[in-house]
Amino acid sequence: MPEASSPTRKRIVDAATKLFYAEGIGRVSVDAIAEKAGLTKRTLYYHFKSKDDLIAAYLDARDQPNLKQMAGWFDAAEGGADRKVEAIFTNLARVARHPKWKGCGFLRTAAELASMPGHPAVKAGSRHKTNFEKWLAAELSAHGVTAPHMLAREIVLLMDGAFSSMLIHHNPDYIGAAGHAAATLVRARTSSN
């Protein structure tokens, strides 16, 4: 297998990301990914053992950019931890208004693979959600919030619930409502209260 950082591998992952996010993993063939990447299927399989490995690579490639984006929204927000957490949801609601937004790729992929809990992509999604939860708990702790690990988990539940509601209702107001609930939870656990 070639290096994970090779330009050809990145081209394949970029093509897969566009197709998987837009259409779902089940609807996208390896042939379509190879065509979008401008490569042969043989070249694709030189870089990835299977479509399953490519699906996992698609999610792994989204982990750090997504975390960085949410951390940026958190850091840029004025005010206490409640306002900073709510800013993540406010920005997610803004992004969700874009016509190409299809929800959380991690959750959508996990839903498609619900009968395969050991799938590499399900594990990649779990890692991402765990990474976000740990990052958020550390930020909440730094802001003097009590029980930051439990609160981070509760906020993740609100976020994932909002993403699920968005898939059904196509209304970003659900994300805003979840953000308001998250901010209320943070205020209730802030040391200065």
Side-chain angles (χ1 to χ4, degrees), residues 26-96:
R27 292 190 179 138
V28 176
S29 69
V30 172
D31 289 320
I33 296 165
E35 182 180 327
K36 180 126 184 115
L39 305 165
T40 65
K41 196 158 91 171
R42 182 177 180 164
T43 301
L44 187 147
Y45 280 122
Y46 174 73
H47 290 272
F48 295 94
K49 292 186 300 187
S50 65
K51 181 180 176 184
D52 290 340
D53 287 340
L54 180 53
I55 296 166
Y58 144 64
L59 292 181
D60 280 334
R62 297 304 318 139
D63 177 56
Q64 288 304 305
N66 284 8
L67 291 174
K68 184 178 178 182
Q69 183 176 47
M70 291 195 196
W73 292 334
F74 184 93
D75 292 340
E78 303 267 331
D82 59 329
R83 290 294 191 213
K84 290 178 172 295
V85 166
E86 192 167 20
I88 294 172
F89 287 85
T90 301
N91 281 287
L92 285 170
R94 179 183 49 78
V95 170

Short mmCIF file of all heavy atoms in Angstrom, two decimals, residues 26-96:
data_model
loop_
_atom_site.label_atom_id
_atom_site.label_comp_id
_atom_site.label_asym_id
_atom_site.label_seq_id
_atom_site.Cartn_x
_atom_site.Cartn_y
_atom_site.Cartn_z
N GLY A 26 -24.00 4.03 -0.07
CA GLY A 26 -24.58 2.90 -0.79
C GLY A 26 -24.87 3.17 -2.25
O GLY A 26 -24.89 2.27 -3.07
N ARG A 27 -25.08 4.43 -2.57
CA ARG A 27 -25.44 4.80 -3.95
C ARG A 27 -24.24 5.08 -4.84
O ARG A 27 -24.40 5.28 -6.03
CB ARG A 27 -26.33 6.03 -3.92
CG ARG A 27 -27.68 5.76 -3.33
CD ARG A 27 -28.59 6.94 -3.56
NE ARG A 27 -29.90 6.63 -3.00
CZ ARG A 27 -30.62 7.48 -2.31
NH1 ARG A 27 -30.19 8.70 -2.12
NH2 ARG A 27 -31.78 7.12 -1.84
N VAL A 28 -23.07 5.13 -4.26
CA VAL A 28 -21.88 5.50 -5.02
C VAL A 28 -21.03 4.27 -5.28
O VAL A 28 -20.64 3.57 -4.35
CB VAL A 28 -21.05 6.57 -4.26
CG1 VAL A 28 -19.78 6.88 -5.00
CG2 VAL A 28 -21.88 7.83 -4.04
N SER A 29 -20.74 4.03 -6.52
CA SER A 29 -19.91 2.87 -6.89
C SER A 29 -18.43 3.25 -6.91
O SER A 29 -18.08 4.42 -7.02
CB SER A 29 -20.31 2.35 -8.27
OG SER A 29 -19.94 3.29 -9.27
N VAL A 30 -17.60 2.24 -6.82
CA VAL A 30 -16.16 2.45 -6.95
C VAL A 30 -15.84 3.00 -8.33
O VAL A 30 -14.97 3.86 -8.49
CB VAL A 30 -15.39 1.14 -6.65
CG1 VAL A 30 -13.92 1.28 -6.97
CG2 VAL A 30 -15.58 0.73 -5.20
N ASP A 31 -16.57 2.53 -9.35
CA ASP A 31 -16.38 3.05 -10.71
C ASP A 31 -16.61 4.57 -10.76
O ASP A 31 -15.85 5.30 -11.40
CB ASP A 31 -17.33 2.35 -11.69
CG ASP A 31 -16.96 0.91 -11.94
OD1 ASP A 31 -15.75 0.61 -12.06
OD2 ASP A 31 -17.88 0.06 -12.01
N ALA A 32 -17.68 5.02 -10.08
CA ALA A 32 -17.99 6.45 -10.08
C ALA A 32 -16.90 7.26 -9.39
O ALA A 32 -16.54 8.36 -9.84
CB ALA A 32 -19.34 6.70 -9.41
N ILE A 33 -16.36 6.72 -8.32
CA ILE A 33 -15.29 7.41 -7.59
C ILE A 33 -14.03 7.49 -8.46
O ILE A 33 -13.41 8.55 -8.57
CB ILE A 33 -14.99 6.72 -6.25
CG1 ILE A 33 -16.20 6.81 -5.34
CG2 ILE A 33 -13.76 7.34 -5.58
CD1 ILE A 33 -16.17 5.88 -4.15
N ALA A 34 -13.68 6.38 -9.09
CA ALA A 34 -12.50 6.36 -9.97
C ALA A 34 -12.67 7.37 -11.10
O ALA A 34 -11.74 8.12 -11.43
CB ALA A 34 -12.27 4.96 -10.52
N GLU A 35 -13.86 7.40 -11.68
CA GLU A 35 -14.13 8.35 -12.77
C GLU A 35 -14.01 9.79 -12.28
O GLU A 35 -13.37 10.63 -12.93
CB GLU A 35 -15.52 8.10 -13.35
CG GLU A 35 -15.85 9.01 -14.52
CD GLU A 35 -17.24 8.74 -15.08
OE1 GLU A 35 -17.70 7.59 -15.06
OE2 GLU A 35 -17.86 9.72 -15.54
N LYS A 36 -14.61 10.10 -11.14
CA LYS A 36 -14.55 11.46 -10.59
C LYS A 36 -13.11 11.86 -10.27
O LYS A 36 -12.73 13.02 -10.45
CB LYS A 36 -15.41 11.58 -9.34
CG LYS A 36 -15.41 12.94 -8.71
CD LYS A 36 -16.81 13.45 -8.55
CE LYS A 36 -16.86 14.85 -8.00
NZ LYS A 36 -17.41 15.79 -8.94
N ALA A 37 -12.31 10.90 -9.80
CA ALA A 37 -10.90 11.17 -9.48
C ALA A 37 -10.03 11.21 -10.72
O ALA A 37 -8.86 11.60 -10.66
CB ALA A 37 -10.38 10.12 -8.51
N GLY A 38 -10.57 10.79 -11.87
CA GLY A 38 -9.79 10.76 -13.11
C GLY A 38 -8.75 9.67 -13.12
O GLY A 38 -7.66 9.83 -13.70
N LEU A 39 -9.09 8.54 -12.50
CA LEU A 39 -8.16 7.41 -12.39
C LEU A 39 -8.85 6.12 -12.80
O LEU A 39 -10.07 6.07 -12.92
CB LEU A 39 -7.70 7.26 -10.93
CG LEU A 39 -7.07 8.48 -10.27
CD1 LEU A 39 -7.02 8.28 -8.77
CD2 LEU A 39 -5.68 8.69 -10.82
N THR A 40 -8.07 5.09 -12.95
CA THR A 40 -8.66 3.79 -13.21
C THR A 40 -9.08 3.14 -11.89
O THR A 40 -8.57 3.48 -10.82
CB THR A 40 -7.66 2.86 -13.92
OG1 THR A 40 -6.57 2.60 -13.02
CG2 THR A 40 -7.16 3.45 -15.22
N LYS A 41 -9.98 2.20 -12.00
CA LYS A 41 -10.40 1.45 -10.82
C LYS A 41 -9.21 0.68 -10.24
O LYS A 41 -9.08 0.55 -9.02
CB LYS A 41 -11.55 0.51 -11.19
CG LYS A 41 -12.30 -0.02 -10.01
CD LYS A 41 -13.70 -0.48 -10.38
CE LYS A 41 -13.70 -1.94 -10.74
NZ LYS A 41 -15.06 -2.49 -10.90
N ARG A 42 -8.36 0.23 -11.09
CA ARG A 42 -7.17 -0.50 -10.64
C ARG A 42 -6.29 0.39 -9.77
O ARG A 42 -5.76 -0.05 -8.74
CB ARG A 42 -6.40 -1.02 -11.86
CG ARG A 42 -5.19 -1.83 -11.49
CD ARG A 42 -4.52 -2.36 -12.73
NE ARG A 42 -3.36 -3.13 -12.34
CZ ARG A 42 -2.74 -3.96 -13.11
NH1 ARG A 42 -3.16 -4.16 -14.35
NH2 ARG A 42 -1.69 -4.62 -12.69
N THR A 43 -6.12 1.64 -10.18
CA THR A 43 -5.34 2.59 -9.38
C THR A 43 -6.01 2.82 -8.03
O THR A 43 -5.34 2.87 -7.00
CB THR A 43 -5.16 3.92 -10.13
OG1 THR A 43 -4.49 3.67 -11.36
CG2 THR A 43 -4.36 4.92 -9.31
N LEU A 44 -7.32 2.95 -8.04
CA LEU A 44 -8.04 3.14 -6.78
C LEU A 44 -7.78 1.95 -5.84
O LEU A 44 -7.46 2.15 -4.67
CB LEU A 44 -9.54 3.28 -7.05
CG LEU A 44 -10.41 3.63 -5.84
CD1 LEU A 44 -11.58 4.50 -6.28
CD2 LEU A 44 -10.92 2.40 -5.14
N TYR A 45 -7.88 0.74 -6.36
CA TYR A 45 -7.65 -0.44 -5.53
C TYR A 45 -6.18 -0.63 -5.14
O TYR A 45 -5.89 -1.34 -4.20
CB TYR A 45 -8.21 -1.70 -6.20
CG TYR A 45 -9.70 -1.82 -6.00
CD1 TYR A 45 -10.56 -1.89 -7.10
CD2 TYR A 45 -10.26 -1.88 -4.73
CE1 TYR A 45 -11.94 -2.01 -6.93
CE2 TYR A 45 -11.62 -1.98 -4.55
CZ TYR A 45 -12.45 -2.05 -5.65
OH TYR A 45 -13.80 -2.17 -5.46
N TYR A 46 -5.30 0.03 -5.84
CA TYR A 46 -3.90 0.02 -5.42
C TYR A 46 -3.75 0.81 -4.11
O TYR A 46 -2.94 0.47 -3.26
CB TYR A 46 -3.01 0.63 -6.53
CG TYR A 46 -1.57 0.80 -6.11
CD1 TYR A 46 -0.72 -0.30 -5.99
CD2 TYR A 46 -1.06 2.06 -5.82
CE1 TYR A 46 0.60 -0.14 -5.59
CE2 TYR A 46 0.26 2.23 -5.43
CZ TYR A 46 1.09 1.12 -5.32
OH TYR A 46 2.39 1.29 -4.92
N HIS A 47 -4.56 1.86 -3.97
CA HIS A 47 -4.49 2.73 -2.79
C HIS A 47 -5.42 2.31 -1.66
O HIS A 47 -5.18 2.66 -0.50
CB HIS A 47 -4.78 4.17 -3.19
CG HIS A 47 -3.68 4.77 -4.01
ND1 HIS A 47 -2.60 5.40 -3.44
CD2 HIS A 47 -3.48 4.81 -5.35
CE1 HIS A 47 -1.79 5.81 -4.39
NE2 HIS A 47 -2.29 5.47 -5.55
N PHE A 48 -6.49 1.58 -1.98
CA PHE A 48 -7.46 1.14 -0.98
C PHE A 48 -7.81 -0.33 -1.23
O PHE A 48 -8.14 -0.70 -2.36
CB PHE A 48 -8.74 1.99 -1.04
CG PHE A 48 -8.49 3.42 -0.66
CD1 PHE A 48 -8.22 4.36 -1.64
CD2 PHE A 48 -8.49 3.81 0.66
CE1 PHE A 48 -7.96 5.68 -1.31
CE2 PHE A 48 -8.24 5.13 1.01
CZ PHE A 48 -7.96 6.06 0.02
N LYS A 49 -7.77 -1.13 -0.18
CA LYS A 49 -8.05 -2.56 -0.32
C LYS A 49 -9.49 -2.82 -0.75
O LYS A 49 -9.78 -3.79 -1.43
CB LYS A 49 -7.81 -3.31 1.00
CG LYS A 49 -6.36 -3.38 1.42
CD LYS A 49 -6.17 -4.25 2.64
CE LYS A 49 -6.96 -3.68 3.80
NZ LYS A 49 -6.73 -4.37 5.07
N SER A 50 -10.40 -1.94 -0.30
CA SER A 50 -11.82 -2.15 -0.57
C SER A 50 -12.57 -0.83 -0.49
O SER A 50 -12.04 0.19 -0.02
CB SER A 50 -12.39 -3.11 0.48
OG SER A 50 -12.34 -2.49 1.77
N LYS A 51 -13.81 -0.86 -0.92
CA LYS A 51 -14.67 0.31 -0.79
C LYS A 51 -14.85 0.64 0.69
O LYS A 51 -14.90 1.81 1.07
CB LYS A 51 -16.03 0.07 -1.46
CG LYS A 51 -16.96 1.26 -1.39
CD LYS A 51 -18.30 0.98 -2.06
CE LYS A 51 -19.24 2.15 -1.88
NZ LYS A 51 -20.58 1.89 -2.44
N ASP A 52 -14.94 -0.39 1.54
CA ASP A 52 -15.09 -0.17 2.98
C ASP A 52 -13.94 0.66 3.53
O ASP A 52 -14.14 1.57 4.34
CB ASP A 52 -15.19 -1.50 3.73
CG ASP A 52 -16.49 -2.22 3.45
OD1 ASP A 52 -17.47 -1.57 3.01
OD2 ASP A 52 -16.54 -3.44 3.69
N ASP A 53 -12.71 0.35 3.10
CA ASP A 53 -11.55 1.12 3.56
C ASP A 53 -11.62 2.57 3.05
O ASP A 53 -11.23 3.50 3.76
CB ASP A 53 -10.25 0.47 3.09
CG ASP A 53 -9.93 -0.80 3.85
OD1 ASP A 53 -10.47 -1.00 4.95
OD2 ASP A 53 -9.13 -1.60 3.33
N LEU A 54 -12.13 2.75 1.86
CA LEU A 54 -12.28 4.09 1.30
C LEU A 54 -13.35 4.88 2.06
O LEU A 54 -13.17 6.07 2.33
CB LEU A 54 -12.61 4.01 -0.19
CG LEU A 54 -12.79 5.34 -0.93
CD1 LEU A 54 -11.59 6.27 -0.74
CD2 LEU A 54 -13.03 5.07 -2.41
N ILE A 55 -14.42 4.22 2.44
CA ILE A 55 -15.47 4.90 3.23
C ILE A 55 -14.89 5.37 4.56
O ILE A 55 -15.13 6.50 5.00
CB ILE A 55 -16.68 3.97 3.44
CG1 ILE A 55 -17.36 3.64 2.11
CG2 ILE A 55 -17.70 4.61 4.40
CD1 ILE A 55 -18.35 2.48 2.19
N ALA A 56 -14.11 4.52 5.21
CA ALA A 56 -13.47 4.90 6.47
C ALA A 56 -12.50 6.06 6.26
O ALA A 56 -12.45 6.99 7.08
CB ALA A 56 -12.76 3.70 7.10
N ALA A 57 -11.76 6.04 5.16
CA ALA A 57 -10.80 7.12 4.87
C ALA A 57 -11.54 8.44 4.63
O ALA A 57 -11.07 9.51 5.04
CB ALA A 57 -9.95 6.76 3.66
N TYR A 58 -12.70 8.37 3.99
CA TYR A 58 -13.54 9.56 3.78
C TYR A 58 -13.89 10.19 5.12
O TYR A 58 -13.74 11.41 5.31
CB TYR A 58 -14.77 9.16 2.97
CG TYR A 58 -16.07 9.85 3.29
CD1 TYR A 58 -16.24 11.22 3.10
CD2 TYR A 58 -17.18 9.12 3.75
CE1 TYR A 58 -17.46 11.85 3.37
CE2 TYR A 58 -18.38 9.73 4.02
CZ TYR A 58 -18.52 11.09 3.83
OH TYR A 58 -19.72 11.71 4.10
N LEU A 59 -14.32 9.39 6.08
CA LEU A 59 -14.69 9.94 7.38
C LEU A 59 -13.47 10.40 8.16
O LEU A 59 -13.50 11.46 8.80
CB LEU A 59 -15.49 8.92 8.18
CG LEU A 59 -16.88 8.59 7.62
CD1 LEU A 59 -17.59 7.60 8.52
CD2 LEU A 59 -17.73 9.85 7.44
N ASP A 60 -12.40 9.62 8.13
CA ASP A 60 -11.18 10.03 8.83
C ASP A 60 -10.67 11.37 8.31
O ASP A 60 -10.18 12.20 9.07
CB ASP A 60 -10.08 8.97 8.69
CG ASP A 60 -10.26 7.80 9.65
OD1 ASP A 60 -10.88 7.98 10.72
OD2 ASP A 60 -9.77 6.70 9.32
N ALA A 61 -10.82 11.60 7.01
CA ALA A 61 -10.37 12.86 6.42
C ALA A 61 -11.22 14.05 6.87
O ALA A 61 -10.77 15.19 6.81
CB ALA A 61 -10.39 12.76 4.89
N ARG A 62 -12.44 13.80 7.32
CA ARG A 62 -13.32 14.87 7.78
C ARG A 62 -13.16 15.17 9.27
O ARG A 62 -13.62 16.20 9.75
CB ARG A 62 -14.80 14.50 7.52
CG ARG A 62 -15.15 14.35 6.05
CD ARG A 62 -14.85 15.56 5.20
NE ARG A 62 -15.21 16.81 5.82
CZ ARG A 62 -14.46 17.93 5.78
NH1 ARG A 62 -13.32 17.96 5.14
NH2 ARG A 62 -14.85 19.03 6.38
N ASP A 63 -12.52 14.27 10.02
CA ASP A 63 -12.43 14.42 11.47
C ASP A 63 -11.79 15.74 11.88
O ASP A 63 -12.44 16.58 12.49
CB ASP A 63 -11.65 13.24 12.06
CG ASP A 63 -11.44 13.36 13.56
OD1 ASP A 63 -12.44 13.50 14.29
OD2 ASP A 63 -10.28 13.33 14.00
N GLN A 64 -10.53 15.94 11.57
CA GLN A 64 -9.82 17.14 12.02
C GLN A 64 -10.38 18.43 11.41
O GLN A 64 -10.53 19.42 12.14
CB GLN A 64 -8.32 17.01 11.78
CG GLN A 64 -7.66 16.01 12.71
CD GLN A 64 -7.91 16.33 14.19
OE1 GLN A 64 -7.62 17.43 14.64
NE2 GLN A 64 -8.43 15.37 14.92
N PRO A 65 -10.72 18.47 10.13
CA PRO A 65 -11.31 19.72 9.61
C PRO A 65 -12.62 20.09 10.33
O PRO A 65 -12.85 21.26 10.63
CB PRO A 65 -11.55 19.42 8.13
CG PRO A 65 -10.53 18.38 7.80
CD PRO A 65 -10.41 17.54 9.04
N ASN A 66 -13.46 19.10 10.61
CA ASN A 66 -14.71 19.40 11.32
C ASN A 66 -14.43 19.89 12.74
O ASN A 66 -15.05 20.86 13.19
CB ASN A 66 -15.61 18.17 11.36
CG ASN A 66 -16.29 17.90 10.03
OD1 ASN A 66 -16.00 18.52 9.02
ND2 ASN A 66 -17.20 16.94 10.03
N LEU A 67 -13.53 19.22 13.44
CA LEU A 67 -13.19 19.64 14.80
C LEU A 67 -12.58 21.05 14.79
O LEU A 67 -12.91 21.87 15.65
CB LEU A 67 -12.22 18.65 15.44
CG LEU A 67 -12.79 17.28 15.77
CD1 LEU A 67 -11.70 16.34 16.27
CD2 LEU A 67 -13.92 17.37 16.79
N LYS A 68 -11.71 21.31 13.83
CA LYS A 68 -11.08 22.63 13.74
C LYS A 68 -12.13 23.72 13.49
O LYS A 68 -12.07 24.80 14.07
CB LYS A 68 -10.03 22.63 12.63
CG LYS A 68 -9.25 23.90 12.51
CD LYS A 68 -8.20 23.81 11.44
CE LYS A 68 -7.45 25.13 11.32
NZ LYS A 68 -6.46 25.11 10.26
N GLN A 69 -13.09 23.41 12.63
CA GLN A 69 -14.14 24.39 12.34
C GLN A 69 -14.96 24.69 13.58
O GLN A 69 -15.22 25.85 13.91
CB GLN A 69 -15.03 23.87 11.21
CG GLN A 69 -16.10 24.86 10.80
CD GLN A 69 -16.92 24.36 9.64
OE1 GLN A 69 -17.36 23.21 9.63
NE2 GLN A 69 -17.10 25.21 8.65
N MET A 70 -15.35 23.66 14.31
CA MET A 70 -16.16 23.88 15.51
C MET A 70 -15.35 24.59 16.59
O MET A 70 -15.88 25.46 17.29
CB MET A 70 -16.73 22.56 16.00
CG MET A 70 -17.78 22.03 15.05
SD MET A 70 -18.74 20.74 15.80
CE MET A 70 -19.51 20.02 14.37
N ALA A 71 -14.08 24.25 16.72
CA ALA A 71 -13.22 24.93 17.69
C ALA A 71 -13.08 26.41 17.31
O ALA A 71 -13.07 27.29 18.19
CB ALA A 71 -11.85 24.26 17.75
N GLY A 72 -13.00 26.70 16.03
CA GLY A 72 -12.91 28.08 15.57
C GLY A 72 -14.16 28.88 15.93
O GLY A 72 -14.07 30.03 16.37
N TRP A 73 -15.32 28.26 15.73
CA TRP A 73 -16.57 28.93 16.10
C TRP A 73 -16.62 29.18 17.61
O TRP A 73 -17.04 30.24 18.05
CB TRP A 73 -17.77 28.11 15.66
CG TRP A 73 -17.96 28.00 14.19
CD1 TRP A 73 -17.55 28.88 13.22
CD2 TRP A 73 -18.63 26.95 13.50
NE1 TRP A 73 -17.93 28.43 11.97
CE2 TRP A 73 -18.60 27.25 12.11
CE3 TRP A 73 -19.27 25.78 13.91
CZ2 TRP A 73 -19.18 26.43 11.16
CZ3 TRP A 73 -19.85 24.96 12.94
CH2 TRP A 73 -19.81 25.28 11.58
N PHE A 74 -16.21 28.19 18.37
CA PHE A 74 -16.19 28.30 19.83
C PHE A 74 -15.26 29.43 20.26
O PHE A 74 -15.64 30.30 21.05
CB PHE A 74 -15.75 26.96 20.43
CG PHE A 74 -15.76 26.89 21.93
CD1 PHE A 74 -16.88 26.40 22.60
CD2 PHE A 74 -14.66 27.27 22.68
CE1 PHE A 74 -16.90 26.31 23.98
CE2 PHE A 74 -14.66 27.19 24.06
CZ PHE A 74 -15.79 26.70 24.72
N ASP A 75 -14.05 29.43 19.74
CA ASP A 75 -13.04 30.43 20.12
C ASP A 75 -13.44 31.85 19.71
O ASP A 75 -13.16 32.81 20.43
CB ASP A 75 -11.68 30.10 19.52
CG ASP A 75 -11.06 28.84 20.11
OD1 ASP A 75 -11.46 28.43 21.22
OD2 ASP A 75 -10.18 28.25 19.44
N ALA A 76 -14.08 31.99 18.58
CA ALA A 76 -14.42 33.31 18.06
C ALA A 76 -15.60 33.95 18.78
O ALA A 76 -15.77 35.17 18.73
CB ALA A 76 -14.72 33.23 16.56
N ALA A 77 -16.39 33.15 19.46
CA ALA A 77 -17.60 33.68 20.10
C ALA A 77 -17.24 34.51 21.33
O ALA A 77 -16.35 34.15 22.09
CB ALA A 77 -18.52 32.53 20.50
N GLU A 78 -17.94 35.59 21.50
CA GLU A 78 -17.78 36.45 22.67
C GLU A 78 -18.56 35.85 23.83
O GLU A 78 -19.56 35.17 23.63
CB GLU A 78 -18.35 37.84 22.36
CG GLU A 78 -17.73 38.51 21.17
CD GLU A 78 -16.57 39.40 21.53
OE1 GLU A 78 -16.56 39.94 22.64
OE2 GLU A 78 -15.67 39.54 20.69
N GLY A 79 -18.11 36.10 25.04
CA GLY A 79 -18.87 35.69 26.21
C GLY A 79 -18.35 34.43 26.85
O GLY A 79 -17.26 33.95 26.54
N GLY A 80 -19.17 33.89 27.74
CA GLY A 80 -18.79 32.71 28.51
C GLY A 80 -18.98 31.43 27.72
O GLY A 80 -19.33 31.43 26.53
N ALA A 81 -18.80 30.33 28.42
CA ALA A 81 -18.90 29.02 27.79
C ALA A 81 -20.27 28.77 27.18
O ALA A 81 -20.39 28.13 26.14
CB ALA A 81 -18.56 27.93 28.81
N ASP A 82 -21.32 29.30 27.82
CA ASP A 82 -22.67 29.11 27.27
C ASP A 82 -22.79 29.73 25.89
O ASP A 82 -23.30 29.11 24.96
CB ASP A 82 -23.72 29.67 28.22
CG ASP A 82 -23.56 31.17 28.50
OD1 ASP A 82 -22.42 31.68 28.50
OD2 ASP A 82 -24.59 31.83 28.76
N ARG A 83 -22.27 30.95 25.74
CA ARG A 83 -22.32 31.64 24.44
C ARG A 83 -21.44 30.95 23.41
O ARG A 83 -21.78 30.89 22.23
CB ARG A 83 -21.89 33.10 24.60
CG ARG A 83 -22.89 33.92 25.36
CD ARG A 83 -24.10 34.00 24.50
NE ARG A 83 -25.04 34.97 24.99
CZ ARG A 83 -26.35 34.80 24.86
NH1 ARG A 83 -26.82 33.72 24.30
NH2 ARG A 83 -27.17 35.70 25.28
N LYS A 84 -20.31 30.44 23.85
CA LYS A 84 -19.39 29.77 22.95
C LYS A 84 -19.97 28.46 22.43
O LYS A 84 -19.86 28.14 21.24
CB LYS A 84 -18.05 29.55 23.64
CG LYS A 84 -17.29 30.85 23.87
CD LYS A 84 -16.00 30.63 24.60
CE LYS A 84 -15.17 31.88 24.66
NZ LYS A 84 -14.68 32.38 23.36
N VAL A 85 -20.62 27.71 23.31
CA VAL A 85 -21.28 26.46 22.89
C VAL A 85 -22.44 26.79 21.94
O VAL A 85 -22.59 26.16 20.89
CB VAL A 85 -21.75 25.65 24.11
CG1 VAL A 85 -22.71 24.54 23.69
CG2 VAL A 85 -20.55 25.06 24.85
N GLU A 86 -23.22 27.78 22.30
CA GLU A 86 -24.35 28.15 21.44
C GLU A 86 -23.87 28.61 20.07
O GLU A 86 -24.54 28.36 19.06
CB GLU A 86 -25.19 29.23 22.12
CG GLU A 86 -26.52 29.45 21.43
CD GLU A 86 -27.50 30.27 22.25
OE1 GLU A 86 -27.06 31.00 23.18
OE2 GLU A 86 -28.70 30.21 21.94
N ALA A 87 -22.69 29.23 20.02
CA ALA A 87 -22.14 29.69 18.73
C ALA A 87 -21.88 28.52 17.79
O ALA A 87 -22.03 28.66 16.56
CB ALA A 87 -20.86 30.49 18.96
N ILE A 88 -21.48 27.38 18.33
CA ILE A 88 -21.29 26.21 17.47
C ILE A 88 -22.60 25.86 16.78
O ILE A 88 -22.65 25.67 15.56
CB ILE A 88 -20.76 25.00 18.28
CG1 ILE A 88 -19.35 25.28 18.82
CG2 ILE A 88 -20.77 23.73 17.43
CD1 ILE A 88 -18.84 24.22 19.80
N PHE A 89 -23.68 25.82 17.54
CA PHE A 89 -24.99 25.49 16.98
C PHE A 89 -25.48 26.57 16.02
O PHE A 89 -26.05 26.27 14.97
CB PHE A 89 -26.00 25.28 18.11
CG PHE A 89 -25.81 24.01 18.88
CD1 PHE A 89 -24.91 23.95 19.93
CD2 PHE A 89 -26.53 22.87 18.57
CE1 PHE A 89 -24.74 22.78 20.66
CE2 PHE A 89 -26.36 21.70 19.28
CZ PHE A 89 -25.47 21.65 20.33
N THR A 90 -25.26 27.84 16.37
CA THR A 90 -25.67 28.94 15.51
C THR A 90 -24.99 28.84 14.14
O THR A 90 -25.62 29.01 13.10
CB THR A 90 -25.34 30.29 16.18
OG1 THR A 90 -26.03 30.36 17.43
CG2 THR A 90 -25.75 31.46 15.30
N ASN A 91 -23.70 28.54 14.18
CA ASN A 91 -22.96 28.40 12.92
C ASN A 91 -23.38 27.15 12.16
O ASN A 91 -23.44 27.16 10.93
CB ASN A 91 -21.46 28.42 13.19
CG ASN A 91 -20.96 29.83 13.39
OD1 ASN A 91 -20.87 30.60 12.45
ND2 ASN A 91 -20.67 30.19 14.63
N LEU A 92 -23.66 26.06 12.87
CA LEU A 92 -24.16 24.86 12.19
C LEU A 92 -25.49 25.15 11.51
O LEU A 92 -25.72 24.70 10.38
CB LEU A 92 -24.31 23.70 13.18
CG LEU A 92 -23.03 23.02 13.62
CD1 LEU A 92 -23.30 22.06 14.77
CD2 LEU A 92 -22.38 22.28 12.46
N ALA A 93 -26.36 25.90 12.18
CA ALA A 93 -27.65 26.26 11.58
C ALA A 93 -27.45 27.10 10.32
O ALA A 93 -28.14 26.92 9.32
CB ALA A 93 -28.53 26.99 12.59
N ARG A 94 -26.48 28.01 10.39
CA ARG A 94 -26.16 28.85 9.21
C ARG A 94 -25.69 27.97 8.05
O ARG A 94 -26.15 28.11 6.91
CB ARG A 94 -25.10 29.89 9.58
CG ARG A 94 -24.68 30.79 8.43
CD ARG A 94 -23.56 31.76 8.84
NE ARG A 94 -22.44 31.14 9.51
CZ ARG A 94 -21.46 30.45 8.91
NH1 ARG A 94 -21.47 30.27 7.60
NH2 ARG A 94 -20.46 29.94 9.61
N VAL A 95 -24.77 27.05 8.34
CA VAL A 95 -24.24 26.16 7.32
C VAL A 95 -25.35 25.26 6.76
O VAL A 95 -25.40 24.97 5.56
CB VAL A 95 -23.07 25.31 7.90
CG1 VAL A 95 -22.65 24.21 6.95
CG2 VAL A 95 -21.89 26.20 8.23
N ALA A 96 -26.26 24.85 7.63
CA ALA A 96 -27.35 23.95 7.22
C ALA A 96 -28.33 24.62 6.25
O ALA A 96 -29.08 23.92 5.57
CB ALA A 96 -28.11 23.46 8.45
#
